[in-house]
Amino acid sequence: MSGEQKMKAKAEQAKGKAKEAVGRMTGDERLEAEGRAEQAKGDARGTKEKAKDVFKH
């Protein structure tokens, strides 16, 4: 399960970066903010999974 969650985190981060870039290029501040939020969500998920790995070993 941990590997699946890590992949979700990476996917969220990538999707967020894409949204942020498109928002920046088009001048859509809302889309840019959504992208940053999605990246943060992916970062949080990744951090949680790393912490679980540390305590697992």
Side-chain angles (χ1 to χ4, degrees), residues 4-46:
E4 181 181 323
Q5 293 298 316
K6 286 179 184 177
M7 286 178 22
K8 279 185 179 182
K10 292 289 184 189
E12 283 176 337
Q13 290 168 342
K15 188 176 172 186
K17 283 184 183 191
K19 273 187 179 180
E20 183 180 6
V22 170
R24 191 174 302 140
M25 287 188 321
T26 60
D28 187 344
E29 292 179 9
R30 193 182 108 221
L31 187 60
E32 194 175 342
E34 282 180 20
R36 281 194 300 271
E38 204 158 326
Q39 285 182 66
K41 185 177 174 185
D43 290 342
R45 185 187 303 269

